[in-house]
Protein backbone atom coordinates (compact mmCIF):
# COMPACT_ATOMS: atom_id res chain seq x y z
CA UNK A 1 0.00 0.00 0.00
CA UNK A 2 1.79 3.17 -1.13
CA UNK A 3 0.48 6.11 0.87
CA UNK A 4 1.33 9.60 -0.38
CA UNK A 5 -0.11 12.63 1.35
CA UNK A 6 -0.28 14.57 -1.92
CA UNK A 7 -2.98 12.30 -3.33
CA UNK A 8 -6.39 13.93 -3.23
CA UNK A 9 -9.48 12.31 -1.77
CA UNK A 10 -11.91 11.26 -4.47
CA UNK A 11 -15.56 12.15 -4.11
CA UNK A 12 -18.04 9.36 -3.60
CA UNK A 13 -21.66 8.93 -2.54
CA UNK A 14 -21.11 9.80 1.14
CA UNK A 15 -22.19 13.12 2.55
CA UNK A 16 -19.58 15.59 3.87
CA UNK A 17 -17.13 14.37 1.24
CA UNK A 18 -13.43 14.67 1.93
CA UNK A 19 -13.83 15.35 5.66
CA UNK A 20 -13.84 11.77 6.89
CA UNK A 21 -11.10 9.31 6.08
CA UNK A 22 -11.89 5.73 5.18
CA UNK A 23 -11.24 3.02 7.72
CA UNK A 24 -10.88 -0.75 7.37
CA UNK A 25 -10.70 -2.74 10.62
CA UNK A 26 -9.54 -6.37 10.47
CA UNK A 27 -10.06 -8.28 13.70
CA UNK A 28 -8.06 -11.51 13.82
CA UNK A 29 -9.56 -13.58 16.59
CA UNK A 30 -6.90 -14.89 18.96
CA UNK A 31 -4.01 -12.84 17.52
CA UNK A 32 -1.80 -12.25 20.54
CA UNK A 33 1.72 -11.59 21.78
CA UNK A 34 2.47 -15.26 21.11
CA UNK A 35 2.43 -14.44 17.37
CA UNK A 36 4.36 -11.15 17.52
CA UNK A 37 7.72 -12.40 16.25
CA UNK A 38 6.17 -14.64 13.59
CA UNK A 39 4.48 -11.71 11.84
CA UNK A 40 7.79 -10.26 10.67
CA UNK A 41 8.46 -13.44 8.69
CA UNK A 42 5.17 -13.35 6.77
CA UNK A 43 5.09 -11.34 3.51
CA UNK A 44 1.89 -9.35 3.92
CA UNK A 45 2.23 -8.66 7.63
CA UNK A 46 5.85 -7.57 7.22
CA UNK A 47 4.98 -5.28 4.29
CA UNK A 48 2.11 -3.81 6.32
CA UNK A 49 4.43 -3.13 9.26
CA UNK A 50 7.11 -1.52 7.09
CA UNK A 51 4.71 1.21 6.02
CA UNK A 52 2.69 1.50 9.21
CA UNK A 53 3.08 1.61 12.95
CA UNK A 54 4.96 -0.88 15.03
CA UNK A 55 3.16 -3.66 16.85
CA UNK A 56 1.40 -2.56 20.01
CA UNK A 57 -0.16 -4.69 22.74
CA UNK A 58 -3.74 -4.49 23.98
CA UNK A 59 -4.69 -5.44 27.51
CA UNK A 60 -7.82 -7.52 27.14
CA UNK A 61 -10.99 -7.49 29.26
CA UNK A 62 -12.59 -9.64 31.91
CA UNK A 63 -13.83 -12.08 30.80
CA UNK A 64 -11.64 -12.31 27.71
CA UNK A 65 -14.33 -13.61 25.38
CA UNK A 66 -14.82 -12.70 21.73
CA UNK A 67 -18.20 -11.00 22.01
CA UNK A 68 -17.34 -9.08 25.16
CA UNK A 69 -14.17 -7.75 23.55
CA UNK A 70 -15.69 -6.95 20.15
CA UNK A 71 -18.48 -5.02 21.84
CA UNK A 72 -15.80 -2.92 23.52
CA UNK A 73 -13.81 -2.57 20.28
CA UNK A 74 -16.71 -0.76 18.63
CA UNK A 75 -18.05 1.18 21.65
CA UNK A 76 -15.08 2.09 23.85
CA UNK A 77 -17.06 0.97 26.89
CA UNK A 78 -16.47 -1.71 29.52
CA UNK A 79 -19.03 -4.53 29.69
CA UNK A 80 -21.01 -2.75 32.41
CA UNK A 81 -21.49 0.09 29.93
CA UNK A 82 -22.27 -1.78 26.70
CA UNK A 83 -24.19 -4.65 28.32
CA UNK A 84 -22.35 -7.65 26.84
CA UNK A 85 -20.86 -9.54 29.79
CA UNK A 86 -20.21 -12.91 28.09
CA UNK A 87 -20.53 -14.59 24.70
CA UNK A 88 -24.01 -15.76 25.71
CA UNK A 89 -26.70 -14.83 28.24
CA UNK A 90 -27.31 -16.93 31.34
CA UNK A 91 -29.03 -20.16 30.23
CA UNK A 92 -28.78 -22.73 33.06
CA UNK A 93 -29.03 -26.36 32.03
CA UNK A 94 -28.99 -25.68 28.29
CA UNK A 95 -26.21 -27.55 26.41
CA UNK A 96 -23.55 -25.34 24.85
CA UNK A 97 -24.62 -26.13 21.26
CA UNK A 98 -28.21 -25.13 22.08
CA UNK A 99 -27.41 -21.77 23.69
CA UNK A 100 -28.08 -18.52 21.94
CA UNK A 101 -25.33 -15.90 21.88
CA UNK A 102 -25.41 -12.12 21.99
CA UNK A 103 -25.78 -11.89 18.22
CA UNK A 104 -28.07 -8.89 17.90
CA UNK A 105 -27.15 -5.22 17.77
CA UNK A 106 -30.22 -4.38 19.85
CA UNK A 107 -28.57 -6.06 22.84
CA UNK A 108 -25.96 -3.31 23.02
CA UNK A 109 -26.80 -0.48 25.41
CA UNK A 110 -24.75 2.24 23.74
CA UNK A 111 -23.70 3.61 20.37
CA UNK A 112 -21.15 1.85 18.20
CA UNK A 113 -18.65 3.11 15.66
CA UNK A 114 -21.14 2.02 13.00
CA UNK A 115 -23.75 4.29 14.57
CA UNK A 116 -21.36 7.24 14.64
CA UNK A 117 -20.46 6.76 10.98
CA UNK A 118 -24.08 6.39 9.92
CA UNK A 119 -24.98 9.52 11.90
CA UNK A 120 -22.35 11.42 9.91
CA UNK A 121 -23.92 10.23 6.67
CA UNK A 122 -21.17 7.71 5.92
CA UNK A 123 -21.69 4.34 4.29
CA UNK A 124 -20.75 1.34 6.41
CA UNK A 125 -20.11 -2.37 5.93
CA UNK A 126 -19.67 -5.30 8.31
CA UNK A 127 -18.39 -8.68 7.16
CA UNK A 128 -18.92 -11.35 9.82
CA UNK A 129 -18.52 -8.81 12.63
CA UNK A 130 -20.02 -9.86 16.01
CA UNK A 131 -23.12 -8.18 17.46
CA UNK A 132 -24.35 -6.80 14.14
CA UNK A 133 -27.43 -8.93 13.46
CA UNK A 134 -30.25 -6.51 12.66
CA UNK A 135 -27.92 -3.50 12.82
CA UNK A 136 -28.45 -0.40 10.71
CA UNK A 137 -25.39 -1.04 8.56
CA UNK A 138 -25.57 -0.34 4.82
CA UNK A 139 -23.97 -3.66 3.80
CA UNK A 140 -24.31 -6.09 6.66
CA UNK A 141 -23.02 -9.68 6.79
CA UNK A 142 -23.70 -10.46 10.48
CA UNK A 143 -21.97 -13.14 12.51
CA UNK A 144 -24.84 -15.32 13.67
CA UNK A 145 -25.31 -19.08 14.00
CA UNK A 146 -28.32 -21.34 13.57
CA UNK A 147 -29.53 -23.23 16.62
CA UNK A 148 -30.87 -26.77 16.29
CA UNK A 149 -33.98 -26.68 14.09
CA UNK A 150 -33.04 -23.37 12.44
CA UNK A 151 -31.74 -22.74 8.92
CA UNK A 152 -28.37 -21.01 8.83
CA UNK A 153 -28.87 -19.33 5.46
CA UNK A 154 -32.29 -17.93 6.32
CA UNK A 155 -31.10 -16.69 9.70
CA UNK A 156 -28.24 -14.75 8.14
CA UNK A 157 -30.42 -13.30 5.36
CA UNK A 158 -33.07 -12.15 7.83
CA UNK A 159 -30.46 -10.48 10.03
CA UNK A 160 -28.40 -8.77 7.35
CA UNK A 161 -28.50 -7.20 3.88
CA UNK A 162 -30.21 -10.01 2.00
CA UNK A 163 -29.73 -8.96 -1.65
CA UNK A 164 -26.06 -8.12 -1.12
CA UNK A 165 -25.47 -11.35 0.79
CA UNK A 166 -26.97 -13.39 -2.03
CA UNK A 167 -24.68 -11.64 -4.53
CA UNK A 168 -21.64 -12.47 -2.37
CA UNK A 169 -22.68 -16.09 -2.16
CA UNK A 170 -23.07 -16.31 -5.94
CA UNK A 171 -19.60 -14.86 -6.50
CA UNK A 172 -17.63 -16.52 -3.72
CA UNK A 173 -19.72 -19.36 -2.30
CA UNK A 174 -17.48 -21.93 -4.01
CA UNK A 175 -14.66 -21.00 -1.61
CA UNK A 176 -16.68 -21.78 1.49
CA UNK A 177 -17.24 -25.15 3.16
CA UNK A 178 -19.72 -24.32 5.88
CA UNK A 179 -17.87 -23.09 8.96
CA UNK A 180 -14.72 -25.10 8.16
CA UNK A 181 -11.49 -23.15 8.50
CA UNK A 182 -9.45 -21.72 6.88
CA UNK A 183 -11.97 -21.86 4.02
CA UNK A 184 -14.39 -19.62 5.94
CA UNK A 185 -11.78 -16.88 6.41
CA UNK A 186 -10.86 -17.20 2.75
CA UNK A 187 -14.51 -16.61 1.84
CA UNK A 188 -14.91 -13.74 4.32
CA UNK A 189 -11.77 -11.93 3.18
CA UNK A 190 -12.87 -12.27 -0.46
CA UNK A 191 -16.24 -10.77 0.50
CA UNK A 192 -14.52 -7.92 2.34
CA UNK A 193 -12.18 -7.22 -0.59
CA UNK A 194 -15.06 -7.29 -3.08
CA UNK A 195 -17.06 -4.90 -0.89
CA UNK A 196 -14.16 -2.45 -0.85
CA UNK A 197 -13.92 -2.59 -4.63
CA UNK A 198 -17.61 -2.49 -5.49
CA UNK A 199 -19.20 -0.54 -2.64
CA UNK A 200 -16.36 1.69 -1.39
CA UNK A 201 -17.71 2.05 2.17
CA UNK A 202 -16.20 4.67 4.45
CA UNK A 203 -16.08 2.12 7.28
CA UNK A 204 -15.62 -1.63 6.88
CA UNK A 205 -15.06 -3.97 9.83
CA UNK A 206 -14.41 -7.68 9.35
CA UNK A 207 -13.71 -10.60 11.69
CA UNK A 208 -11.41 -13.53 10.82
CA UNK A 209 -11.53 -16.63 13.00
CA UNK A 210 -9.15 -19.33 11.69
CA UNK A 211 -6.37 -18.68 14.23
CA UNK A 212 -8.75 -18.89 17.19
CA UNK A 213 -10.32 -22.03 15.76
CA UNK A 214 -6.94 -23.72 15.31
CA UNK A 215 -5.80 -22.86 18.84
CA UNK A 216 -9.02 -24.20 20.34
CA UNK A 217 -8.66 -27.45 18.40
CA UNK A 218 -4.94 -28.12 18.40
CA UNK A 219 -3.21 -25.84 20.89
CA UNK A 220 -1.28 -22.62 20.68
CA UNK A 221 1.86 -23.99 19.00
CA UNK A 222 0.56 -26.79 16.77
CA UNK A 223 1.40 -27.00 13.04
CA UNK A 224 -2.26 -26.29 12.26
CA UNK A 225 -2.07 -23.11 14.32
CA UNK A 226 1.01 -21.93 12.48
CA UNK A 227 -0.75 -22.71 9.19
CA UNK A 228 -3.73 -20.63 10.29
CA UNK A 229 -1.45 -17.63 10.81
CA UNK A 230 -0.15 -18.07 7.26
CA UNK A 231 -3.74 -18.11 6.00
CA UNK A 232 -4.41 -14.85 7.88
CA UNK A 233 -1.42 -13.31 6.13
CA UNK A 234 -3.02 -14.21 2.79
CA UNK A 235 -6.33 -12.69 3.89
CA UNK A 236 -4.63 -9.46 4.91
CA UNK A 237 -2.85 -9.28 1.57
CA UNK A 238 -6.13 -9.76 -0.27
CA UNK A 239 -7.82 -6.90 1.62
CA UNK A 240 -4.87 -4.52 1.21
CA UNK A 241 -4.71 -5.32 -2.52
CA UNK A 242 -8.39 -4.42 -2.88
CA UNK A 243 -7.72 -1.00 -1.31
CA UNK A 244 -4.80 -0.38 -3.65
CA UNK A 245 -6.59 -1.65 -6.77
CA UNK A 246 -9.55 0.61 -6.04
CA UNK A 247 -7.38 3.73 -5.86
CA UNK A 248 -8.34 4.24 -2.22
CA UNK A 249 -4.94 3.79 -0.56
CA UNK A 250 -4.31 7.50 0.01
CA UNK A 251 -7.54 8.01 1.93
CA UNK A 252 -7.77 4.69 3.78
CA UNK A 253 -6.37 3.72 7.16
CA UNK A 254 -6.20 0.01 8.02
CA UNK A 255 -6.17 -1.30 11.58
CA UNK A 256 -5.35 -4.95 12.36
CA UNK A 257 -5.86 -6.23 15.88
CA UNK A 258 -6.65 -9.23 18.06
CA UNK A 259 -9.02 -9.73 20.97
CA UNK A 260 -7.35 -12.14 23.42
CA UNK A 261 -4.64 -14.75 23.81
CA UNK A 262 -4.91 -18.47 24.56
CA UNK A 263 -3.66 -20.85 27.22
CA UNK A 264 -3.04 -24.52 26.48
CA UNK A 265 -5.43 -26.81 28.37
CA UNK A 266 -4.40 -29.90 30.28
CA UNK A 267 -7.44 -30.38 32.55
CA UNK A 268 -11.21 -29.82 32.19
CA UNK A 269 -13.28 -28.97 35.28
CA UNK A 270 -17.07 -29.17 35.10
CA UNK A 271 -17.99 -26.74 37.86
CA UNK A 272 -21.73 -27.28 37.54
CA UNK A 273 -21.15 -30.94 38.38
CA UNK A 274 -20.61 -29.65 41.94
CA UNK A 275 -23.97 -27.85 41.94
CA UNK A 276 -25.84 -30.85 40.55
CA UNK A 277 -24.31 -33.07 43.22
CA UNK A 278 -25.33 -30.56 45.90
CA UNK A 279 -28.93 -30.46 44.67
CA UNK A 280 -28.64 -26.85 43.49
CA UNK A 281 -29.17 -27.67 39.80
CA UNK A 282 -30.71 -30.47 37.79
CA UNK A 283 -33.95 -31.28 35.99
CA UNK A 284 -37.60 -31.89 36.65
CA UNK A 285 -38.99 -34.95 34.91
CA UNK A 286 -42.61 -35.14 33.91
CA UNK A 287 -44.22 -38.34 35.16
CA UNK A 288 -46.82 -40.26 33.22
CA UNK A 289 -49.51 -38.24 35.01
CA UNK A 290 -47.81 -34.96 34.09
CA UNK A 291 -46.74 -34.14 37.65
CA UNK A 292 -43.11 -33.01 37.83
CA UNK A 293 -40.68 -34.84 40.06
CA UNK A 294 -37.24 -33.68 41.08
CA UNK A 295 -34.18 -35.14 39.45
CA UNK A 296 -30.47 -34.60 40.06
CA UNK A 297 -29.42 -35.75 36.61
CA UNK A 298 -27.72 -33.01 34.62
CA UNK A 299 -29.34 -34.02 31.32
CA UNK A 300 -31.45 -31.22 29.83
CA UNK A 301 -34.52 -31.28 27.65
CA UNK A 302 -32.40 -31.65 24.49
CA UNK A 303 -33.31 -34.85 22.73
CA UNK A 304 -36.16 -35.58 25.15
CA UNK A 305 -38.96 -33.70 23.35
CA UNK A 306 -39.15 -31.15 26.15
CA UNK A 307 -39.87 -33.75 28.89
CA UNK A 308 -36.83 -32.82 30.98
CA UNK A 309 -37.02 -29.26 32.32
CA UNK A 310 -33.82 -27.68 33.65
CA UNK A 311 -34.17 -26.28 37.17
CA UNK A 312 -31.55 -24.40 39.12
CA UNK A 313 -30.90 -22.40 42.25
CA UNK A 314 -27.27 -21.72 41.42
CA UNK A 315 -25.30 -22.00 38.17
CA UNK A 316 -21.77 -21.40 36.87
CA UNK A 317 -21.74 -19.56 33.53
CA UNK A 318 -18.36 -20.72 32.33
CA UNK A 319 -15.94 -19.05 29.94
CA UNK A 320 -12.95 -21.36 29.81
CA UNK A 321 -10.49 -19.50 31.99
CA UNK A 322 -13.10 -18.04 34.30
CA UNK A 323 -16.74 -18.43 35.35
CA UNK A 324 -19.57 -16.37 36.81
CA UNK A 325 -21.46 -17.92 39.71
CA UNK A 326 -25.14 -16.96 39.59
CA UNK A 327 -27.71 -17.56 42.34
CA UNK A 328 -31.44 -17.07 41.89
CA UNK A 329 -32.41 -13.66 43.28
CA UNK A 330 -33.81 -13.89 46.79
CA UNK A 331 -32.65 -17.45 47.44
CA UNK A 332 -30.66 -16.74 50.59
CA UNK A 333 -30.37 -20.39 51.56
CA UNK A 334 -28.83 -21.27 48.18
CA UNK A 335 -26.41 -18.38 48.48
CA UNK A 336 -25.21 -19.56 51.89
CA UNK A 337 -24.87 -23.13 50.63
CA UNK A 338 -23.01 -22.19 47.47
CA UNK A 339 -20.57 -19.89 49.26
CA UNK A 340 -19.54 -22.78 51.50
CA UNK A 341 -19.34 -25.13 48.53
CA UNK A 342 -17.09 -22.68 46.68
CA UNK A 343 -14.89 -22.17 49.74
CA UNK A 344 -14.22 -25.90 49.93
CA UNK A 345 -13.74 -26.18 46.16
CA UNK A 346 -11.12 -23.42 46.20
CA UNK A 347 -9.06 -25.51 48.64
CA UNK A 348 -9.04 -28.50 46.28
CA UNK A 349 -6.04 -28.04 44.00
CA UNK A 350 -7.44 -30.55 41.50
CA UNK A 351 -10.20 -28.08 40.60
CA UNK A 352 -7.76 -25.36 39.54
CA UNK A 353 -9.43 -22.35 41.16
CA UNK A 354 -6.89 -19.52 41.15
CA UNK A 355 -9.00 -16.76 42.67
CA UNK A 356 -12.51 -15.56 43.50
CA UNK A 357 -13.89 -12.06 42.89
CA UNK A 358 -16.90 -10.84 44.87
CA UNK A 359 -18.29 -7.60 46.26
CA UNK A 360 -16.10 -4.58 45.45
CA UNK A 361 -13.55 -6.85 43.74
CA UNK A 362 -16.14 -8.07 41.26
CA UNK A 363 -17.50 -4.56 40.75
CA UNK A 364 -13.98 -3.40 39.95
CA UNK A 365 -13.85 -5.77 36.98
CA UNK A 366 -16.74 -3.79 35.44
CA UNK A 367 -18.43 -6.87 34.02
CA UNK A 368 -22.02 -5.86 34.78
CA UNK A 369 -22.79 -9.57 35.03
CA UNK A 370 -25.12 -9.57 38.04
CA UNK A 371 -23.28 -12.64 39.32
CA UNK A 372 -22.68 -13.44 42.98
CA UNK A 373 -18.97 -13.81 42.21
CA UNK A 374 -16.49 -14.67 39.47
CA UNK A 375 -13.97 -17.50 39.62
CA UNK A 376 -10.60 -17.58 37.86
CA UNK A 377 -8.97 -20.76 36.56
CA UNK A 378 -5.33 -21.63 37.01
CA UNK A 379 -3.22 -21.72 33.87
CA UNK A 380 -3.89 -24.97 32.02
CA UNK A 381 -7.33 -25.51 33.57
CA UNK A 382 -10.56 -24.95 31.66
CA UNK A 383 -13.98 -24.51 33.24
CA UNK A 384 -16.73 -26.32 31.29
CA UNK A 385 -20.38 -25.31 31.72
CA UNK A 386 -22.06 -28.57 30.72
CA UNK A 387 -22.14 -30.78 33.85
CA UNK A 388 -22.41 -34.12 32.05
CA UNK A 389 -19.24 -36.15 32.47
CA UNK A 390 -16.68 -36.41 35.24
CA UNK A 391 -16.00 -33.44 37.52
CA UNK A 392 -12.33 -33.46 36.49
CA UNK A 393 -10.88 -34.80 33.23
CA UNK A 394 -7.19 -34.81 32.33
CA UNK A 395 -5.92 -34.64 28.78
CA UNK A 396 -4.92 -38.12 27.61
CA UNK A 397 -1.95 -36.62 25.77
CA UNK A 398 -0.44 -33.15 25.27
CA UNK A 399 -2.55 -31.00 22.98
CA UNK A 400 -5.61 -33.26 23.18
CA UNK A 401 -7.72 -30.46 24.73
CA UNK A 402 -6.26 -27.66 22.61
CA UNK A 403 -6.16 -24.16 24.11
CA UNK A 404 -8.74 -21.75 25.48
CA UNK A 405 -9.25 -18.16 26.60
CA UNK A 406 -11.58 -16.40 29.03
CA UNK A 407 -8.72 -16.02 31.52
CA UNK A 408 -8.15 -12.76 33.39
CA UNK A 409 -5.71 -10.22 31.91
CA UNK A 410 -2.12 -10.68 32.99
CA UNK A 411 -1.44 -14.19 31.70
CA UNK A 412 1.88 -14.63 29.88
CA UNK A 413 1.72 -13.66 26.17
CA UNK A 414 -2.02 -13.13 26.60
CA UNK A 415 -2.28 -9.55 25.39
CA UNK A 416 -3.69 -8.91 21.94
CA UNK A 417 -1.81 -7.19 19.13
CA UNK A 418 -2.50 -3.83 17.47
CA UNK A 419 -1.00 -2.41 14.27
CA UNK A 420 -2.13 0.15 11.71
CA UNK A 421 -1.11 1.74 8.41
CA UNK A 422 -2.33 4.69 6.40
CA UNK A 423 -1.84 8.39 5.76
CA UNK A 424 -3.84 9.19 8.89
CA UNK A 425 -1.19 7.48 11.01
CA UNK A 426 2.41 8.16 11.97
CA UNK A 427 4.66 5.68 10.19
CA UNK A 428 6.97 3.85 12.58
CA UNK A 429 5.10 5.00 15.68
CA UNK A 430 5.18 2.59 18.60
CA UNK A 431 1.66 2.11 20.01
CA UNK A 432 2.98 0.63 23.26
CA UNK A 433 0.39 -0.95 25.54
CA UNK A 434 -3.21 0.23 25.29
CA UNK A 435 -6.42 -0.75 27.00
CA UNK A 436 -9.14 -2.40 24.95
CA UNK A 437 -11.41 0.58 25.68
CA UNK A 438 -8.89 2.81 23.87
CA UNK A 439 -9.47 1.09 20.53
CA UNK A 440 -12.90 2.55 19.66
CA UNK A 441 -12.12 6.22 20.40
CA UNK A 442 -8.90 5.86 18.39
CA UNK A 443 -10.79 4.36 15.45
CA UNK A 444 -13.34 7.15 15.68
CA UNK A 445 -10.59 9.81 15.70
CA UNK A 446 -9.08 8.32 12.55
CA UNK A 447 -12.41 8.90 10.82
CA UNK A 448 -12.89 12.38 12.23
CA UNK A 449 -15.60 11.19 14.62
CA UNK A 450 -15.97 11.21 18.40
CA UNK A 451 -17.93 9.24 20.99
CA UNK A 452 -20.04 11.31 23.36
CA UNK A 453 -19.56 8.75 26.14
CA UNK A 454 -16.49 6.53 26.29
CA UNK A 455 -14.35 4.78 28.91
CA UNK A 456 -11.17 4.91 26.83
CA UNK A 457 -8.80 7.49 25.41
CA UNK A 458 -7.45 8.20 21.92
CA UNK A 459 -4.05 6.60 21.24
CA UNK A 460 -2.34 9.87 20.28
CA UNK A 461 1.06 8.19 19.94
CA UNK A 462 0.13 6.81 16.50
CA UNK A 463 -1.40 10.00 15.11
CA UNK A 464 0.56 12.60 13.10
Amino acid sequence: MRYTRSMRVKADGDTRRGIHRRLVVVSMDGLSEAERDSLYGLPNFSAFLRRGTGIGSIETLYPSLTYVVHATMMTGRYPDGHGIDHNHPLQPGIPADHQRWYWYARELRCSTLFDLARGAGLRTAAVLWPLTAGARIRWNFPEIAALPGENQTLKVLRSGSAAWLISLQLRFGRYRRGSEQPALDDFVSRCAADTIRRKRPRLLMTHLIALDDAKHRYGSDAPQTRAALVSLDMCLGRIVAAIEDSGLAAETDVVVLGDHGHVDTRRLVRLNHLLVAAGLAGVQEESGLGAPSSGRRSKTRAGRAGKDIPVWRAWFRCSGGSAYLHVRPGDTAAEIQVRELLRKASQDASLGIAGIHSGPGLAGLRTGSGALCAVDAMSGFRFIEDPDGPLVEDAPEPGAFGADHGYPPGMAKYRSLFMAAGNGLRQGAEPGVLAMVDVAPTLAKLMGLKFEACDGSVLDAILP
Side-chain angles (χ1 to χ4, degrees), residues 4-19:
T4 58
R5 297 184 186 281
S6 62
M7 295 179 69
R8 299 182 62 186
V9 175
K10 297 179 181 179
D12 60 18
D14 291 321
T15 60
R16 300 176 65 182
R17 298 186 182 99
I19 297 176

Side-chain angles (χ1 to χ4, degrees), residues 236-275:
L236 176 61
R238 182 175 293 125
I239 291 170
V240 169
I243 296 170
E244 293 178 335
D245 296 346
S246 302
L248 301 175
E251 56 185 287
T252 302
D253 298 320
V254 181
V255 172
V256 178
L257 74 168
D259 54 352
H260 53 68
H262 286 74
V263 175
D264 288 319
T265 302
R266 64 178 184 272
R267 174 171 289 184
L268 308 180
V269 180
R270 296 175 175 85
L271 289 178
N272 284 309
H273 192 286
L274 297 170
L275 300 182

Side-chain angles (χ1 to χ4, degrees), residues 99-220:
Q99 292 193 8
R100 79 169 187 89
W101 284 32
Y102 286 117
W103 290 309
Y104 295 92
R106 63 174 180 266
E107 296 178 288
L108 287 159
R109 296 176 186 163
C110 57
S111 296
T112 69
L113 185 60
F114 290 112
D115 297 324
L116 288 188
R118 182 175 54 83
L122 307 178
R123 298 178 297 179
T124 58
V127 186
L128 215 70
W129 191 268
L131 284 148
T132 56
R136 297 180 66 184
I137 295 171
R138 178 64 181 85
W139 297 286
N140 189 11
F141 181 170
E143 184 174 289
I144 188 169
L147 295 174
E150 296 180 336
N151 181 281
Q152 177 68 34
T153 300
L154 289 178
K155 194 168 186 177
V156 172
L157 291 176
R158 289 169 179 165
S159 303
S161 306
W164 173 65
L165 289 169
I166 292 171
S167 70
L168 291 177
Q169 178 63 29
L170 291 174
R171 282 197 290 276
F172 306 113
R174 65 186 182 278
Y175 296 102
R176 183 175 181 175
R177 294 189 291 273
S179 59
E180 181 183 333
Q181 291 287 10
L184 178 58
D185 275 6
D186 183 41
F187 170 73
V188 168
S189 64
R190 289 178 187 276
C191 291
D194 184 75
T195 303
I196 291 167
R197 289 188 174 97
R198 292 175 181 265
K199 304 300 184 183
R200 302 165 67 92
R202 283 282 167 177
L203 170 65
L204 182 143
M205 302 179 79
T206 188
H207 181 212
L208 303 175
I209 317 171
L211 182 63
D212 177 78
D213 181 76
K215 289 183 177 182
H216 277 299
R217 290 173 180 268
Y218 307 108
S220 57

Side-chain angles (χ1 to χ4, degrees), residues 28 44-45 48 232-241 254 256:
M28 298 182 173
N44 294 302
F45 276 110
F48 186 83
L232 284 179
D233 183 73
M234 295 174 62
C235 291
L236 176 61
R238 182 175 293 125
I239 291 170
V240 169
V254 181
V256 178

Side-chain angles (χ1 to χ4, degrees), residues 127-449:
V127 186
L128 215 70
W129 191 268
L131 284 148
T132 56
R136 297 180 66 184
I137 295 171
R138 178 64 181 85
W139 297 286
N140 189 11
F141 181 170
E143 184 174 289
I144 188 169
L147 295 174
E150 296 180 336
N151 181 281
Q152 177 68 34
T153 300
L154 289 178
K155 194 168 186 177
V156 172
L157 291 176
R158 289 169 179 165
S159 303
S161 306
W164 173 65
L165 289 169
I166 292 171
S167 70
L168 291 177
Q169 178 63 29
L170 291 174
R171 282 197 290 276
F172 306 113
R174 65 186 182 278
Y175 296 102
R176 183 175 181 175
R177 294 189 291 273
S179 59
E180 181 183 333
Q181 291 287 10
L184 178 58
D185 275 6
D186 183 41
F187 170 73
V188 168
S189 64
R190 289 178 187 276
C191 291
D194 184 75
T195 303
I196 291 167
R197 289 188 174 97
R198 292 175 181 265
K199 304 300 184 183
R200 302 165 67 92
R202 283 282 167 177
L203 170 65
L204 182 143
M205 302 179 79
T206 188
H207 181 212
L208 303 175
I209 317 171
L211 182 63
D212 177 78
D213 181 76
K215 289 183 177 182
H216 277 299
R217 290 173 180 268
Y218 307 108
S220 57
D221 196 35
Q224 296 91 335
T225 299
R226 294 192 290 273
L229 190 60
V230 173
S231 74
L232 284 179
D233 183 73
M234 295 174 62
C235 291
L236 176 61
R238 182 175 293 125
I239 291 170
V240 169
I243 296 170
E244 293 178 335
D245 296 346
S246 302
L248 301 175
E251 56 185 287
T252 302
D253 298 320
V254 181
V255 172
V256 178
L257 74 168
D259 54 352
H260 53 68
H262 286 74
V263 175
D264 288 319
T265 302
R266 64 178 184 272
R267 174 171 289 184
L268 308 180
V269 180
R270 296 175 175 85
L271 289 178
N272 284 309
H273 192 286
L274 297 170
L275 300 182
V276 172
L280 291 165
V283 297
Q284 283 187 334
E285 297 180 74
E286 292 182 354
S287 67
L289 298 176
S293 59
S294 297
R296 288 178 54 190
R297 294 183 300 107
S298 59
K299 186 185 295 182
T300 68
R301 71 181 72 191
R304 292 291 303 275
K307 293 182 180 180
D308 283 349
I309 303 172
V311 293
W312 68 284
R313 298 173 65 194
W315 190 259
F316 284 102
R317 186 164 43 140
C318 297
S319 52
S322 59
Y324 294 131
L325 176 56
H326 295 269
V327 176
R328 278 195 180 276
D331 194 338
T332 304
E335 182 176 332
I336 293 171
Q337 184 180 354
V338 81
R339 284 186 184 277
E340 177 62 16
L341 182 151
L342 186 56
R343 184 189 68 80
K344 292 180 178 178
S346 67
Q347 297 173 350
D348 184 346
S350 70
L351 301 182
I353 295 176
I356 301 171
H357 308 277
S358 60
L362 179 60
L365 296 176
R366 303 199 59 179
T367 67
S369 64
L372 176 68
C373 62
V375 182
D376 294 340
M378 295 179 183
S379 180
F381 288 71
R382 181 195 303 172
F383 294 150
I384 300 294
E385 187 160 333
D386 289 344
D388 289 327
L391 171 61
V392 174
E393 184 177 355
D394 290 318
E397 58 187 24
F401 289 160
D404 209 348
H405 49 97
Y407 296 87
M411 306 290 284
K413 294 187 177 180
Y414 199 65
R415 287 172 173 162
S416 305
L417 298 184
F418 177 97
M419 63 203 84
N423 283 351
L425 296 142
R426 186 157 61 88
Q427 185 175 4
E430 293 299 331
V433 179
L434 60 153
M436 194 62 70
V437 290
D438 296 336
V439 170
T442 302
L443 298 179
K445 181 67 176 289
L446 288 172
M447 295 190 71
L449 303 169

